[in-house]
Amino acid sequence: MLEIKRLILGPVQTNTYLVADSANRQAAVIDPAWDGERIAVEALGLGWTIGAVWITHAHFDHFGGAAGLVNGVKAPPLVALHPDDLSLWKSGGGWRLFGLRIDEPPAPSAWLSDRMSLSLGGEQFEVRHCPGHSPGHVIFVCEAQKTAFVGDVIFKNGIGRSDLPGGNEARLLRSIRENILSLPDDVRLYPGHGAQTTVGAERRANPFLVSGSLP
Ligand SMILES: [Zn+2]
Ligand SMILES: [Zn+2]
């Protein structure tokens, strides 16, 4: 069984997800948005061991806490990123545009690729490459547990911005169609900002997807 703890962190209210297999308390952090030390303390309090940090994409508000988190746990976790977002990661994920500073992030130690499989305890996640909001955006899908972490690709009643450097609206809509709307309706979606939703709810009511403009 997956256990999920959401923390809302940082200057743009980003969702950080602590995810664990309840059977063995092995945990991953999806998007250590901000306040990395606090994420480490939270995991400790839950009795979870953080073995990995999975990054949906390299905007600063999704990894601003990576340095603090890695320094705040005993054994440094693996930090996994899609290589198409590496230059964004190295340049600070756009924080300069927002006039904010983040601590120098650790170098990624694992590379994500489309359709690769990640284990978390006894559960399996599939990585799906979903460019459009950023070039190397990925989502993490655990179909057995009807759960997907979707970063800034799709939100409850919204979709990600495509006007930032490396963004592309047509590509984003294609990513949503191929990798999210292809999932069963009862899969829960955990976005990078705002409330959770389901594939079915967005298929029916997301104004960006029901207008008939979906390619
Ligand atoms: Zn973003
Ligand atoms: Zn974001």
Side-chain angles (χ1 to χ4, degrees):
M1 266 278 286
L2 287 179
E3 284 185 55
I4 299 166
K5 166 91 182 168
R6 174 170 77 140
L7 304 172
I8 302 169
L9 300 172
V12 284
Q13 303 273 289
T14 304
N15 291 328
T16 288
Y17 296 103
L18 265 161
V19 189
D21 176 359
S22 51
N24 60 18
R25 317 188 85 65
Q26 286 299 308
V29 176
I30 298 176
D31 292 351
W34 215 254
D35 298 331
E37 297 82 359
R38 191 184 144 197
I39 302 168
V41 166
E42 198 77 37
L44 207 61
L46 291 161
W48 295 357
T49 305
I50 298 171
V53 178
W54 299 345
I55 306 291
T56 61
H57 68 296
H59 284 151
F60 75 95
D61 60 306
H62 293 257
F63 70 94
L69 172 61
V70 167
N71 293 329
V73 294
K74 270 195 219 128
L78 158 162
V79 177
L81 177 74
H82 191 285
D84 290 357
D85 264 14
L86 180 61
S87 62
L88 203 52
W89 175 274
K90 284 183 169 163
S91 70
W95 59 259
R96 287 176 187 85
L97 296 175
F98 292 80
L100 293 159
R101 262 212 90 84
I102 62 167
D103 291 333
E104 182 69 30
S109 47
W111 298 113
L112 300 172
S113 61
D114 190 43
R115 267 49 187 183
M116 88 185 273
S117 165
L118 296 171
S119 336
L120 178 63
E123 303 290 349
Q124 297 293 319
F125 284 79
E126 184 182 57
V127 175
R128 296 188 176 194
H129 185 210
C130 290
H133 174 70
S134 74
H137 199 305
V138 295
I139 65 171
F140 304 102
V141 180
C142 180
E143 260 200 271
Q145 299 289 336
K146 302 204 171 293
T147 296
F149 297 92
V150 295
D152 289 358
V153 170
I154 189 167
F155 305 109
K156 187 178 174 65
N157 298 323
I159 61 172
R161 293 172 63 164
S162 50
D163 59 333
L164 296 166
N168 180 311
E169 188 181 15
R171 194 65 192 80
L172 177 66
L173 289 170
R174 195 175 125 200
S175 290
I176 293 171
R177 187 189 67 219
E178 291 178 354
N179 293 308
I180 292 175
L181 298 183
S182 58
L183 294 167
D185 275 356
D186 57 353
V187 172
R188 290 179 297 276
L189 302 176
Y190 293 84
H193 303 270
Q196 74 177 74
T197 180
T198 63
V199 172
E202 298 317 303
R203 195 193 308 283
R204 282 189 302 275
N206 189 309
F208 296 89
L209 307 182
V210 296
S211 62
S213 66
L214 195 62

